[in-house]
């Protein structure tokens, strides 16, 4: 069995980024702690300074969805509980229109953390209910979130909790409660603990009704194993709440939560002092998430460290936010699947594999996503050619960057874009061709910006 990580001295405190905080830094923060900026948002956040920016993200006030309500390709309102893929469209719409980006981003983090797939649940209503649970506890108490997810109907079906009773305890949720949700694989527990926790978690029930599916989720004391259990070397007549509490009090729990939260926002591993200080915040804060996030979002490693690949849903939502385009087609359902991150359909109980966001298959999905994002706004070569458009490669690149509201790109990327534009316009040898090639080239530049390394990462 692994030992808890070595802790730094108690006097160690969290470092805070003290460098400049301009638009580039605010934009990175909005990508890491949300879904990228709408036009003008990075500039407005930069004026608050780092402390004010983090405070605004952690205390956003009431939700105000900005923009038109989501519709399918025919202009009909989406039906998240009834039509295939519309549950994901409903959530993508919230990512695009939210005024509380960190709340919505943490809702996505929790969905990945407590990964549940509608492939097995077969009820968008139950998945949406679970999604609401994640949103309510997005920045709150991990204890309350853990208690909520343990009795959540979708989770009870996903990990067989509703079929677990005395005399026949199911170990699925007991194992993942420790391995994936609170401690990490074989950190502070063994197989005997799995079996004993499974006994503690017995008692939940649900009824099957033809035409309705699973209904009336509840806890029945008569189904619970009331015997003495030994968990983590402690004896007691534990029930499901005790099972959660025992995990929270396990010495391996704080390091697990801190490590997993950190990896959602920062590309590098935290040093020992940082990890210890964050763990201390978590314990002293009564398992509250906001104090840990406050430390992460103000840490120098986030602002000065390597870039982080944007998860597919963050990438897609960010493009739409940047363009001011809402959900106006149900194509995003299958496109998000091609990108490798379809909401409500994680691949397994361990969630998505972040290391595969840019493999050859999923990058093709991102190309399709970028094409769909800009398709309705593409320039018509025939119409533009009549207006005597600019044909200078430098100007075309500047116009393409303006289309994306001047995203942050490196000099190397800008140089490649200009070189491409020169090659494209260099083929316009006939008198009529430059005016026709210019909008085609500008369309291509918009696409290349969207799939560039600078736009794929933050």
């Amino acid at each position: 069995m692994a030992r808890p990580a070595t802790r730094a001295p108690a006097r160690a405190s969290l470092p805070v980024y003290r460098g400049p905080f301009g638009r580039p830094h605010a934009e990175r923060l909005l990508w890491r702690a949300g879904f990228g900026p709408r036009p003008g948002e990075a500039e407005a956040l930069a004026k608050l300074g780092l402390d004010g920016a983090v405070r605004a993200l952690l205390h956003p006030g009431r939700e105000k969805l900005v923009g038109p309500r989501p519709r399918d390709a025919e202009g009909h309102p989406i039906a998240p509980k009834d039509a295939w893929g519309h549950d994901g469209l409903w959530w993508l719409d919230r990512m695009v229109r939210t005024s509380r980006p960190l709340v919505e981003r943490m809702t996505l983090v929790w969905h990945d953390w407590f990964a549940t797939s509608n492939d097995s649940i077969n009820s968008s209503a139950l998945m949406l209910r679970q999604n609401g649970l994640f949103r309510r506890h997005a920045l709150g108490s991990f204890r309350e979130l853990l208690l909520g997810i343990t009795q959540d109907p979708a989770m009870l079906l996903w990990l067989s909790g509703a079929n677990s009773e005395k005399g026949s305890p199911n170990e699925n949720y007991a194992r993942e409660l420790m391995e994936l949700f609170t401690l990490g694989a074989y950190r502070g527990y063994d197989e005997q603990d799995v079996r004993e926790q499974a006994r503690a978690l017995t008692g939940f029930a649900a009824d099957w009704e033809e035409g309705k599916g699973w209904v009336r989720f509840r806890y029945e004391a008569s189904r619970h194993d009331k015997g003495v259990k030994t968990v983590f070397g402690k004896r007691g007549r534990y029930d499901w709440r005790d099972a959660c509490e025992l995990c929270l009090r396990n010495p391996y729990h704080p390091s697990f939560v801190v490590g997993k939260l950190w990896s959602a926002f920062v590309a590098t591993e935290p040093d020992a002092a940082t990890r210890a200080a964050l763990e201390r915040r978590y314990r002293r804060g009564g398992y509250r998430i906001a104090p840990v996030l406050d430390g992460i979002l103000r840490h120098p490693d986030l602002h000065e460290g390597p870039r982080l690949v944007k998860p597919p849903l963050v990438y897609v939502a960010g493009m739409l936010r940047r363009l001011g385009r809402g959900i106006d087609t149900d194509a995003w359902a299958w496109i998000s699947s091609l990108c490798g991150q379809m909401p409500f359909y994680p691949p397994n109980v361990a969630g998505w594999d972040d290391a595969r966001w840019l493999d050859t298959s999923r990058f093709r999905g991102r190309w399709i996503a970028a094409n769909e994002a800009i398709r309705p706004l593409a320039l018509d070569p025939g119409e533009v050619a009549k207006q005597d458009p600019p044909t200078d490669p430098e100007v075309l690149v500047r116009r393409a960057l303006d289309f994306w509201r001047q995203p942050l790109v490196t000099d190397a990327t800008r140089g490649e874009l200009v070189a491409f534009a020169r090659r494209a316009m260099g083929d316009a040898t006939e008198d009529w061709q430059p005016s026709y090639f210019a909008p085609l080239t500008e369309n291509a530049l918009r696409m290349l910006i969207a799939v560039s390394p600078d736009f794929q990462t933050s």
Side-chain angles (χ1 to χ4, degrees):
M1 187 183 299
R3 295 181 178 179
T6 301
R7 292 177 181 167
R11 65 180 180 273
S13 60
L14 275 170
V16 175
Y17 173 71
R18 298 299 185 190
F21 189 74
R23 181 199 163 207
H25 309 87
E27 184 156 322
R28 170 178 278 201
L29 184 59
L30 285 168
W31 277 113
R32 298 283 182 93
F35 302 88
R38 295 192 185 95
E41 282 188 337
E43 292 82 355
L45 200 68
K47 292 179 180 178
L48 300 178
L50 176 59
D51 289 344
V54 172
R55 189 161 49 249
L57 289 167
L58 286 170
H59 306 282
R62 297 184 62 181
E63 177 71 283
K64 181 181 179 182
L65 298 177
V66 180
R69 293 184 177 183
R71 296 185 176 274
D72 65 15
E74 285 72 44
H76 302 133
I78 63 171
K81 294 182 180 179
D82 303 310
W84 179 88
H86 281 208
D87 48 1
L89 296 179
W90 174 87
W91 193 5
L92 181 60
D93 171 70
R94 291 192 66 99
M95 298 175 192
V96 172
R97 296 201 292 143
T98 185
S99 62
R100 304 194 301 168
L102 182 55
V103 171
E104 209 59 43
R105 182 64 179 268
M106 282 304 301
T107 303
L108 180 58
V109 168
W110 296 133
H111 177 42
D112 190 21
W113 193 306
F114 298 98
T116 308
S117 175
N118 203 25
D119 265 336
S120 293
I121 308 307
N122 198 29
S123 171
S124 292
L126 292 182
M127 295 300 297
L128 291 168
R129 174 176 168 173
Q130 186 188 84
N131 185 260
L133 171 72
F134 294 147
R135 190 170 292 105
R136 287 194 302 275
H137 297 291
L139 305 176
S141 163
F142 188 87
R143 171 188 275 123
E144 294 304 315
L145 174 58
L146 186 63
L147 291 171
I149 197 65
T150 300
Q151 57 183 321
D152 172 71
M155 181 60 78
L156 287 172
L157 294 179
W158 175 239
L159 290 179
S160 311
N163 298 321
S164 185
E165 59 183 330
K166 62 182 179 182
S168 183
N170 189 292
E171 296 180 3
N172 285 351
Y173 187 77
R175 184 177 303 279
E176 308 311 350
L177 171 65
M178 294 181 284
E179 179 176 335
L180 296 176
F181 302 161
T182 63
L183 303 178
Y186 292 103
R187 298 175 72 246
Y189 74 95
D190 58 24
E191 285 299 314
Q192 180 63 20
D193 293 317
V194 173
R195 291 188 286 270
E196 295 290 86
Q197 284 281 58
R199 292 176 58 208
L201 289 159
T202 55
F204 289 102
D207 300 325
W208 174 265
E209 285 191 7
E210 197 65 36
K212 293 184 178 180
W214 290 102
V215 296
R216 290 185 291 279
F217 290 85
R218 61 199 183 277
Y219 182 79
E220 292 184 358
S222 61
R223 291 169 52 89
H224 173 62
D225 181 340
K226 297 182 176 66
V228 174
K229 299 98 178 171
T230 301
V231 180
F232 309 145
K234 301 175 182 178
R235 287 169 55 82
R237 297 184 183 276
Y238 302 131
D239 64 10
W240 70 273
R241 290 180 181 274
D242 298 319
C244 295
E245 196 66 35
L246 286 163
C247 290
L248 293 172
R249 295 179 182 179
N250 189 300
Y252 291 81
H253 173 64
S255 62
F256 176 81
V257 167
V258 164
K260 197 157 184 176
L261 281 177
W262 177 276
S263 68
F265 298 96
V266 186
T268 55
E269 290 289 324
D271 59 43
T274 291
R275 182 183 289 274
L278 288 172
E279 290 176 27
R280 193 161 54 252
R281 277 196 180 195
Y282 180 64
R283 290 193 304 270
R284 292 178 179 175
Y287 309 113
R288 289 175 55 239
I289 296 301
V292 179
L293 293 180
D294 176 80
I296 293 173
L297 297 181
R298 297 195 299 133
H299 198 280
D301 287 4
L302 187 149
H303 299 278
E304 299 175 324
R307 297 176 70 84
L308 195 64
V309 175
K310 298 170 184 173
L313 287 172
V314 174
Y315 172 69
V316 170
M319 285 193 294
L320 297 178
R321 285 171 67 88
R322 205 168 194 109
L323 295 175
R325 179 183 172 188
I327 302 301
D328 53 16
T329 173
D330 37 15
W332 292 116
W334 59 265
I335 290 175
S336 65
S337 179
L338 289 179
C339 292
Q341 195 178 31
M342 187 174 184
F344 303 112
Y345 291 89
N348 52 58
V349 71
W352 287 283
D353 182 358
D354 294 1
R356 298 187 62 190
W357 285 150
L358 291 180
D359 66 13
T360 53
S361 172
R362 288 163 178 78
F363 189 82
R364 176 177 176 272
R366 289 184 181 230
W367 184 278
I368 293 171
N371 183 64
E372 174 56 36
I374 64 180
R375 178 188 53 77
L377 305 171
L379 299 171
D380 183 321
E383 292 300 316
V384 174
K386 299 174 184 177
Q387 304 167 19
D388 191 25
T391 58
D392 179 79
E394 295 272 2
V395 174
L396 293 177
V397 169
R398 186 173 68 248
R399 284 166 59 95
L401 290 169
D402 285 342
F403 171 82
W404 283 112
R405 280 45 171 196
Q406 286 297 318
L408 302 172
V409 298
T410 63
D411 291 341
T413 295
R414 186 184 292 269
E416 290 295 332
L417 293 170
V418 172
F420 168 83
R422 285 187 180 134
R423 291 194 300 272
M425 294 306 298
D427 290 334
T429 56
E430 302 291 333
D431 289 344
W432 62 272
Q433 288 180 328
S435 294
Y436 193 84
F437 278 29
L440 290 173
T441 301
E442 190 172 332
N443 283 337
L445 287 167
R446 294 175 179 181
M447 185 71 180
L448 290 174
I449 292 168
V451 297
S452 69
D454 302 341
F455 208 96
Q456 300 284 346
T457 60
S458 64

